[in-house]
């Protein structure tokens, strides 16, 4: 069995090297582990640092957003016929020690998709993060009819069947909810496993923030007025 | 208070537009921000069409003596819908660009690897 660990990265020169190096080189039941960093048009040294750390690197010539990078990871995994795909955040908030927990239900053929949930492990978390996540969980449930405790988790594992049929369309952060829509639409077997979340000042500054919402709305209105 | 024929037609049209927004979101074309923005816009338009007296206060505060008449209503509703279609079209193009960018990234990496292999 061969596994691809895909990391979407945008301007992550500070931590990408550490994140890539922290990933395991061996996993029980897996012969080959490849690490792929999709650089989403970074303007810093993300590519160089990821390559030095030993990852395969794909470079987006334009910044397309989290969904865009995840689509490229999925497409690569499909083309290269990986048996398992794991997506992993580049900001250092995931613990590589959780990787076997996500992968083993896939190896044993029990599930098609595993989502790592930050909210069922008792991790201390920032309140704003929790609030955004709960809102996203409720919206995801009402629109797609699937409930998870962490619809915005970036740590997930897919088997070959899921890699083949999951079809992400949006370019932005909503891609995380789209994974769940695809699970529901394609009737994939899925489960959540508790994962540890490492919240540092750096990881908190990345990802989905309340302060981002007015900016997105402003950009939208600007585009309308143009 | 019974609603007029025009109010019913406009409401049905706006509900149609609202359903398009939800379907486009479920299909992944419209983002969550888009869903909230367009949903709020079309919902408030439905409220103003069904209860035009609500607009009188706004009209008065702006120095306009009477509420907006039917033609202006209809024009604005249709314009909003056309803008929405345009927005969807732009989102489609953005997603196409992402597809090209992703394919280029993969092709570039595979070509580099092939070149390296043939050199070896």
């Amino acid at each position: 069995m061969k596994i691809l660990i895909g990391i979407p990265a945008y301007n992550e020169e500070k931590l990408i090297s550490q994140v890539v190096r922290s990933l395991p080189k061996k996993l029980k039941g897996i012969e080959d582990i490849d690490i792929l960093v999709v650089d989403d048009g970074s303007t810093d040294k993300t590519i160089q640092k990821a390559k030095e750390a030993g990852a395969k690197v794909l470079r987006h010539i334009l910044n397309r957003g989290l969904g865009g990078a995840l689509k490229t990871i999925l497409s690569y995994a499909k083309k290269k016929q990986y048996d398992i795909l794991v997506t992993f955040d580049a900001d250092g908030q995931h613990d590589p020690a959780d990787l076997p927990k996500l992968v083993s239900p896939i190896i044993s053929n029990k599930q098609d998709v595993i989502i790592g949930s930050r909210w069922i492990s008792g991790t201390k978390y920032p309140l704003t993060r929790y609030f955004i996540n709960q809102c996203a969980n409720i919206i995801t449930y009402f629109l797609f009819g699937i409930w998870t405790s962490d619809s915005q988790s970036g740590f997930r594992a897919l088997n070959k069947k899921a890699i083949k049929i999951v079809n992400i369309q949006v370019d932005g952060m909503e891609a995380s909810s789209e994974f769940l829509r695809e699970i529901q639409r394609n009737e994939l077997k899925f489960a959540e496993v508790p994962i540890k979340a490492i919240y540092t000042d750096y990881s908190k500054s990345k990802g989905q923030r309340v302060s981002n919402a007015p900016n997105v709305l402003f950009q939208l209105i600007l585009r309308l007025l143009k | 208070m019974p609603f007029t024929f025009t109010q019913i037609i406009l409401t049905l049209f706006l509900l149609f537009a609202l359903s398009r927004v939800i379907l486009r979101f479920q299909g992944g074309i419209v983002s969550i921000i888009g869903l909230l923005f367009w949903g709020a816009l079309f919902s408030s338009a439905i409220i103003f069409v069904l209860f035009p007296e609500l607009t009188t206060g706004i009209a008065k505060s702006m120095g306009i003596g009477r509420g907006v008449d039917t033609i202006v209503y209809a024009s604005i509703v249709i314009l909003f819908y056309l803008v929405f279609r345009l927005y969807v079209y732009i989102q489609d193009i953005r997603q196409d660009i992402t597809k090209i960018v992703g394919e280029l990234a993969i092709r570039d990496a595979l070509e580099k690897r092939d070149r390296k292999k043939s050199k070896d």
Side-chain angles (χ1 to χ4, degrees):
Chain A
M1 268 194 168
K2 56 177 191 170
I3 183 173
L4 179 71
I5 303 174
I7 308 172
Y10 177 61
N11 287 344
E12 299 279 6
E13 65 175 2
K14 278 186 189 159
L15 272 189
I16 193 68
S17 171
Q18 190 186 319
V19 168
V20 171
R21 286 182 213 273
S22 72
L23 290 165
K25 309 283 174 287
K26 276 182 185 171
L27 272 174
K28 203 180 159 194
I30 304 282
E31 286 89 47
D32 285 323
I33 301 179
D34 285 339
I35 299 165
L36 175 75
V37 171
V38 170
D39 172 71
D40 192 26
S42 297
T43 50
D44 63 3
K45 290 179 180 160
T46 301
I47 295 181
Q48 202 182 321
K49 300 258 178 182
K51 275 184 182 165
E52 281 168 8
K56 293 172 188 278
V57 179
L58 296 183
R59 175 181 161 261
H60 278 183
I61 52 172
L62 294 169
N63 176 245
R64 304 310 300 155
L66 174 69
L70 286 171
K71 279 189 261 188
T72 304
I73 290 172
L74 267 167
S75 176
Y76 185 83
K78 212 181 292 181
K79 273 200 175 99
K80 303 288 281 179
Q81 300 191 323
Y82 281 93
D83 299 298
I84 300 173
L85 167 67
V86 172
T87 63
F88 198 88
D89 283 356
D91 58 8
Q93 70 158 288
H94 300 319
D95 184 355
D98 285 326
L99 208 69
K101 271 199 272 182
L102 271 88
V103 172
S104 56
I106 304 241
I107 297 174
S108 60
N109 235 342
K110 282 186 187 144
Q111 305 290 345
D112 296 319
V113 181
I114 298 289
I115 310 263
S117 172
R118 296 162 286 182
W119 313 113
I120 49 176
S121 57
T123 310
K124 282 188 178 170
Y125 40 75
L127 218 61
T128 48
R129 275 284 157 110
Y130 182 73
F131 177 72
I132 298 170
N133 250 281
Q134 286 305 313
C135 290
N137 293 348
I138 292 166
I139 292 170
T140 305
Y141 177 72
F142 277 108
L143 287 163
F144 305 134
I146 180 166
W147 177 258
T148 58
S149 62
D150 194 357
S151 61
Q152 304 308 296
S153 172
F155 198 3
R156 48 180 97 76
L158 292 83
N159 69 1
K160 205 169 194 168
K161 178 186 169 192
I163 294 168
K164 218 180 232 177
I165 52 180
V166 163
N167 182 20
I168 300 299
Q169 299 215 304
V170 291
D171 294 342
M173 293 279 188
E174 302 82 28
S176 303
S177 294
E178 264 207 313
F179 265 101
L180 296 161
R181 181 201 68 191
E182 289 298 290
I183 290 169
Q184 180 79 338
R185 196 169 68 94
N186 296 298
E187 295 174 355
L188 295 170
K189 287 185 283 176
F190 110 101
E192 284 182 308
V193 297
I195 55 163
K196 195 173 148 194
I198 306 159
Y199 284 116
T200 59
D201 286 341
Y202 180 77
S203 72
K204 277 191 277 187
S205 73
K206 296 274 176 173
Q208 312 208 23
R209 284 172 289 158
V210 181
S211 57
N212 249 351
N215 184 39
V216 174
L217 197 62
F218 178 69
Q219 293 296 329
L220 187 75
I221 294 164
L222 252 188
R223 219 177 285 151
L224 283 174
L225 296 174
K226 268 183 185 173
Chain B
M1 185 187 70
F3 297 118
T4 63
F5 178 72
T6 318
Q7 280 177 311
I8 293 165
I9 293 293
L10 283 178
T11 305
L12 287 176
F13 184 81
L14 284 164
L15 283 173
F16 165 76
L18 200 57
S19 73
R20 298 293 99 180
V21 176
I22 294 166
L23 282 176
R24 290 290 176 170
F25 176 78
Q26 286 174 336
I29 305 288
V30 171
S31 70
I32 185 92
I33 298 294
L35 173 79
L36 296 176
F37 177 78
W38 293 108
L41 191 78
F42 289 129
S43 304
S44 53
I46 292 172
I47 293 166
F48 287 136
V49 166
L50 293 177
F51 307 103
E53 61 276 9
L54 291 174
T55 61
T56 316
I58 301 166
K60 274 187 182 163
S61 71
M62 292 171 78
I64 305 163
R66 60 188 174 90
V68 186
D69 63 33
T70 318
I71 294 171
V72 178
Y73 263 148
S75 315
I76 291 172
V77 166
I78 291 164
L79 274 175
F80 272 156
Y81 183 66
L82 290 177
V83 172
F84 169 65
R85 297 286 307 171
L86 203 62
Y87 172 75
V88 167
Y89 181 63
I90 292 168
Q91 288 301 101
D92 281 344
I93 292 174
R94 288 173 63 89
Q95 289 181 7
D96 285 343
I97 292 171
T98 303
K99 206 173 181 180
I100 295 168
V101 168
E103 280 300 313
L104 273 177
I106 293 174
R107 210 172 279 187
D108 193 38
L110 294 180
E111 272 173 17
K112 264 184 197 160
R113 200 197 54 184
D114 288 346
R115 272 203 301 271
K116 207 176 164 190
K117 262 188 187 171
S118 63
K119 261 186 190 174
D120 293 341

